[in-house]
Amino acid sequence: MFMRITLLLLVFLPAVHTFTTMYRPTKFLSPLLRPSRLFSTPRSSSSSRPPPKPGLLQQLPAFQPPNEHLNACQKKIQYMKPDPLIKNAKLRAQKQSSLKLQTLTTLLSKPLNERQKRWHQTFQNLHPFDDVVLRLTISNRVKIDGIELFSTMSKVDDGRKRIVKLGKELSGEVKKCERTKDVNDFTDDAVDQLLKLYKSTISPTLPYLNSYHKLLRTTPLYDFTSPTLLLIGAPNVGKSSLVRKLSSGKPEVNDYSFTTKSVTIGHKWLIKKDEWGGEDRVRCQVMDSPGVLLREGKANDMEELTVKSAELLPTAVMFVWDLSKGNQGTSSFEVQKKARETLREKFPRRPWFDVITKVDVLEEEDQNMVEEVERICGRNGEKLHMVSAITGEGLEEVEVEVEKVLTEVGEVLQVL
């Protein structure tokens, strides 16, 4: 057991290192252009921070819609009253005008600045896996409509700076007005200038940030500290059905913001007796992943996410095969075999077992493929189970195997 835990430590240490170490980000630089944080130089211990928390992308604050923002600003300055202690009418009007313009400038610019800072701070403190999700989300959005997140944020920030600059200039120029009527006319014109500048620079761009906000808030929420069973396999092999069968409660089904696919996350409790006769309960995750084909030169965003899930999360792997005739198109036996060999070569010491699904529809002529899978698993002593999510055949044996590999991952996490 000691030797096994030692080997598992060697497997998980790189992922845990990225989890527990923060990296120096490059501010305002798109993840599409900057080097991956995974390979950056760790900060010194004097500037170390706590490990990143899960769910940071889901906590991003939204920007107020432009029309609502403008209406709220106009209402607030509309009821500003002059200072009755100033007896001179022109001076009183000048002070009121200057204060109104300063207030409007602040109301227009400050919420934008605060939210942008929150977004940048969030992006700088992401778990490496969430960093991958963010990068893939941006990459896919650029492919669809050319809207890149960080350049869009820069446009909004440039517009904000122009508003601040204009507001300062206008609030200073009010002193040049010689009559009270001139002050009032100047104020109305200055307010119009600020509102028009907002409409021309912020209003066209802000909806794109809110659309990104909607995408990022709906990304799946993972617990990066829980032992996790990751189901990997080709598309449509029955991974989601197995998650529902193997996890307790009702699994969550979330959409990846950069795909048309969904991910199913279930939870499972491991219960074991402690030395005093009590029970220790460990909450684990059981999750599927986007289908992988791993054809040479044709990797896509979904496949990258699957590989990164195994690389960056504390996971054991269940590789799911479908040998039925209904899945022998794009996910032929040879394609599944190649994907399995590629992934196992990449993660040779990861806790791993294989499952052949839909055995209730397998035919006698499929036995050759079953025997080939048995030979593949037998090379390194990996377990192979035959199951049917519909009839329940083989599920009890798989549940025992799931608890075994999750326990191994949990033991490693406790040591770390």
Side-chain angles (χ1 to χ4, degrees), residues 263-406:
V263 58
T264 305
I265 305 175
H267 298 96
K268 185 178 184 67
W269 289 96
L270 290 183
I271 303 175
K272 58 181 180 179
K273 298 291 184 180
D274 60 28
E275 55 184 313
W276 295 283
E279 290 185 347
D280 283 337
R281 295 170 60 87
V282 179
R283 188 173 185 264
C284 304
Q285 295 176 131
V286 181
M287 59 184 255
D288 69 356
S289 59
V292 293
L293 300 175
L294 298 182
R295 292 169 292 187
E296 188 173 353
K298 296 183 179 179
N300 57 35
D301 290 345
M302 292 181 287
E303 293 177 331
E304 182 178 352
L305 183 79
T306 297
V307 173
K308 291 298 182 182
S309 297
E311 179 181 329
L312 300 173
L313 299 177
T315 59
V317 174
M318 176 199 294
F319 190 87
V320 183
W321 301 76
D322 180 4
L323 307 182
S324 64
K325 285 186 172 57
N327 200 43
Q328 294 302 306
T330 57
S331 303
S332 67
F333 175 72
E334 292 301 323
V335 169
Q336 295 182 63
K337 176 182 174 182
K338 178 63 176 177
R340 197 270 189 193
E341 290 175 344
T342 301
L343 289 167
R344 193 53 175 150
E345 183 179 348
K346 186 174 181 64
F347 306 107
R349 294 195 178 97
R350 189 60 56 98
W352 182 295
F353 68 98
D354 292 69
V355 166
I356 297 177
T357 59
K358 306 180 185 178
V359 296
D360 53 307
V361 296
L362 291 182
E363 300 178 5
E364 187 174 343
E365 59 194 65
D366 300 324
Q367 188 60 33
N368 290 336
M369 291 186 290
V370 173
E371 292 174 357
E372 177 63 17
V373 174
E374 290 175 345
R375 284 193 292 271
I376 292 172
C377 297
R379 292 172 191 166
N380 298 308
E382 284 112 5
K383 296 290 183 65
L384 173 64
H385 297 274
M386 310 275 287
V387 302
S388 169
I390 294 178
T391 66
E393 178 183 348
L395 282 177
E396 289 186 8
E397 292 82 358
V398 171
E399 288 180 353
V400 172
E401 193 69 31
V402 168
E403 291 186 3
K404 177 183 175 182
V405 295
L406 287 176

Side-chain angles (χ1 to χ4, degrees), residues 243-261:
V243 171
R244 290 180 173 89
K245 291 292 183 180
L246 297 172
S247 58
S248 58
K250 184 178 179 181
E252 304 165 12
V253 180
N254 301 96
D255 291 330
Y256 287 115
S257 55
F258 50 87
T259 75
T260 58
K261 305 296 182 182

Side-chain angles (χ1 to χ4, degrees), residues 22-272:
M22 299 303 297
Y23 299 88
R24 293 188 183 278
T26 304
K27 196 173 183 181
F28 300 108
L29 187 59
S30 166
L32 298 176
L33 303 177
R34 60 187 167 89
S36 170
R37 184 176 297 126
L38 301 179
F39 304 102
S40 301
T41 304
R43 292 182 178 181
S44 63
S45 58
S46 60
S47 60
S48 61
R49 297 181 181 179
K53 298 179 181 179
L56 292 182
L57 290 177
Q58 290 79 5
Q59 297 172 17
L60 288 172
F63 291 84
Q64 191 174 16
N67 289 338
E68 292 182 13
H69 188 194
L70 286 173
N71 291 336
C73 293
Q74 288 176 278
K75 285 182 180 179
K76 287 183 178 180
I77 65 170
Q78 182 179 353
Y79 299 105
M80 294 182 65
K81 297 180 179 180
D83 187 350
L85 297 179
I86 301 178
K87 303 304 180 182
N88 185 286
K90 186 185 79 169
L91 294 178
R92 184 168 60 246
Q94 285 178 334
K95 182 174 181 180
Q96 183 190 17
S97 174
S98 179
L99 183 60
K100 180 180 287 188
L101 295 176
Q102 291 173 11
T103 301
L104 179 59
T105 300
T106 300
L107 291 173
L108 291 174
S109 61
K110 187 176 181 180
L112 299 175
N113 190 39
E114 289 178 344
R115 281 165 175 75
Q116 292 233 65
K117 283 184 177 179
R118 281 277 306 278
W119 280 42
H120 281 293
Q121 289 170 356
T122 297
F123 297 152
Q124 291 169 3
N125 292 284
L126 290 177
H127 182 278
F129 182 76
D130 274 343
D131 196 45
V132 172
V133 172
L134 173 64
R135 177 169 56 81
L136 293 177
T137 301
I138 297 172
S139 174
N140 189 71
R141 180 67 185 271
V142 171
K143 293 175 185 176
I144 294 173
D145 57 15
I147 305 300
E148 200 275 332
L149 175 59
F150 284 81
S151 61
T152 304
M153 293 180 70
S154 294
K155 289 180 181 178
V156 171
D157 199 53
D158 289 342
R160 179 193 65 81
K161 290 176 180 177
R162 290 177 61 185
I163 291 172
V164 171
K165 181 180 179 181
L166 178 62
K168 289 181 178 179
E169 293 174 353
L170 293 174
S171 62
E173 290 180 9
V174 70
K175 298 177 182 179
K176 300 177 181 178
C177 298
E178 297 181 355
R179 297 178 301 170
T180 302
K181 183 180 182 305
D182 295 337
V183 174
N184 294 333
D185 291 342
F186 175 84
T187 303
D188 292 339
D189 180 67
V191 169
D192 286 340
Q193 288 187 54
L194 287 170
L195 297 178
K196 286 179 180 178
L197 181 57
Y198 183 99
K199 291 176 182 179
S200 64
T201 59
I202 306 298
S203 293
T205 312
L206 206 56
Y208 293 124
L209 287 187
N210 276 332
S211 66
Y212 261 111
H213 172 264
K214 184 177 180 180
L215 288 176
L216 295 172
R217 281 182 65 90
T218 56
T219 54
L221 178 60
Y222 301 98
D223 183 353
F224 301 122
T225 62
S226 293
T228 301
L229 177 68
L230 177 66
L231 280 68
I232 300 180
N236 304 315
V237 296
K239 299 186 294 293
S240 297
S241 298
L242 284 176
V243 171
R244 290 180 173 89
K245 291 292 183 180
L246 297 172
S247 58
S248 58
K250 184 178 179 181
E252 304 165 12
V253 180
N254 301 96
D255 291 330
Y256 287 115
S257 55
F258 50 87
T259 75
T260 58
K261 305 296 182 182
S262 62
V263 58
T264 305
I265 305 175
H267 298 96
K268 185 178 184 67
W269 289 96
L270 290 183
I271 303 175
K272 58 181 180 179

